[in-house]
Amino acid sequence: MAKEKDDITRQIENFKRKLKSQMPKVRKEIKVYEKNVAMGIRNKHPQIAPQFK
């Protein structure tokens, strides 16, 4: 039981590190998206990619 708990704790810590390293990229993408929405650049009806038709 203790080994499973250690494994889960290790996985959670690993996930937190990965999330922390990716947050600047995510924030930048959100900022660009919000800017484009405010400027009306975002396509409200994007075309469906061929592989999904």
Side-chain angles (χ1 to χ4, degrees):
M1 180 78 173
K3 185 179 184 305
E4 291 175 8
K5 187 175 180 180
D6 291 341
D7 289 343
I8 293 171
T9 304
R10 194 176 316 117
Q11 287 177 342
I12 290 171
E13 292 302 320
N14 187 25
F15 175 72
K16 285 180 181 180
R17 277 195 307 278
K18 286 181 181 180
L19 184 63
K20 188 175 181 178
S21 70
Q22 291 297 317
M23 282 311 293
K25 181 180 176 185
V26 172
R27 285 188 190 111
K28 183 178 179 183
E29 290 175 4
I30 291 171
K31 193 175 192 178
V32 169
Y33 172 80
E34 288 175 342
K35 183 183 91 172
N36 289 341
V37 166
M39 293 173 60
I41 296 174
R42 296 293 303 177
N43 186 356
K44 293 184 181 187
H45 304 289
Q47 289 185 338
I48 299 172
Q51 68 267 30
F52 298 115
K53 287 186 178 182

